[in-house]
Amino acid sequence: MSEPVTHRRLEWLDLARGLGVILVVLGHVLSGLTRAGQFPDGPLATWTEYALYTFHMPLFFFLTGLNVPHSLQRGATSFLAAKGWTIAYPYVLWSLLQGGLILALGHDVNLPLSRADLAAIWYRPIGQFWFLYALMLCHLAVVIVPSRRLLAGLSVLGVVAFCAGTMRSGVPQTLHDLPFYVAGLYAHGLTRRAIRSAAAGWSLVVLLWCGFALAVALGGPASRFDALGFASLPACGLGIAATLLMCRLLDGHLRWLATVGGLSMTIYVLHILAGSGIRMVMLRLHAPHDPWLFLGIGVGAGVALPMLAHAVLARLRLLPALGLAPLPRLARHVPPIVSQRLGAAP
C-alpha cells in the first residue's frame, strides 16, 4: 500500500476514534451525574445512555481489529510484546493508580472501592479499564486460535452465551465484544479497497443513522434498556457502520477530531479522573447547580485535560513509562505509520 493511501486510512480511522472517545466521555460523565443526583434521571438520560452504550465500545473493538492483521505480520511474539506494553501494562498501572485514588477519597466518589477490589483486578476489572482487559483477551485469542473461521464461530457462540446469561461485567463482557474485534479482522481488506473507491453519498449516512435511531427506539423497550442484549445488536451494527462511513466521507476535514482520535488512549485512561475531578471542584466552588453546565464542563474537561496531560508527559518523555506509548525498542520493529498509533488509540 502506498504511503499516501496509508496516511488517509489512518486519518479517517482517527476521526472514528475521536468521535468514539468523545461519546465514551459523554456517557461516563452523564451516568456519573445521574448517580450523583446532579442530572435528572429521567427518559432523556435513559435513552441517551442506552443509545451510546449500544455501539460506542464495540466500535473500538472493530477499529482495533482492522489494524490487527497488519500488526501480526511482524510475528505473534512481537505482536504480544507490543500489546503487553500498550494494553496489559497500562491496565494494571492505571487500575492501581485510579483505584488507589478512589480508595483514598472514600465516600466522596459515586462508586467507592475496597482493597479487595484492587486485589481482584486480575479477574474483575474496575471502572473503564474493563476495556483494556477485554481487549488484551481478544489479542490473546487471535494468537492462540489458529483458524480465523474457528475464531469467528467461537465469537458468535460467545455472544449468544453472553446475551442469554446474566453476567454483564468483567471477563464475560469479552464474549460480547469479541465478535466486533473479529469483524474488524475480516473487514481489514474490505475497508482498504473502499479507500481506493469512490465514497458513498451522505444519503447513505443519513439512512444508516435513521436505521440506528429506529433500532434504538425498538431495541430499548425490547431489551429493557440493556445495551448489551440481543435486541440491541441491530443498533450496535448500524451505529458502527454509520460512524465509519461518515468518518470516511469526512476524511481530510475536522483535523481537530482526528487529533482527539490520535490521543484516544490517553483520554480513555484519564477521562474519569478528569471529569470527576472537575465535578468535585465545581461543587467545592459552589458553582450553579445547572445540570447542563455540569455536563458540558465535565465532557470538555474529560477530553481536554487528558490531552493537556498527554502533551506534558510527551515533553517529559514519560509516555512509554506510563503505558501511553510503545517502548522505543518495540517501536523500532513496527512500521513508522503504525508505531505512531499503537499507544495512541484504544
Side-chain angles (χ1 to χ4, degrees), residues 91-106:
Y91 166 75
V92 175
L93 175 66
W94 289 100
S95 292
L96 293 176
L97 289 176
Q98 179 174 304
L101 181 59
I102 292 174
L103 187 63
L105 291 173

Side-chain angles (χ1 to χ4, degrees), residues 72-110:
L72 278 173
Q73 289 178 2
R74 64 185 186 274
T77 301
S78 296
F79 173 76
L80 290 179
K83 300 307 179 186
W85 190 261
T86 57
I87 303 296
Y89 169 63
Y91 166 75
V92 175
L93 175 66
W94 289 100
S95 292
L96 293 176
L97 289 176
Q98 179 174 304
L101 181 59
I102 292 174
L103 187 63
L105 291 173
H107 295 290
D108 289 335
V109 296
N110 286 334

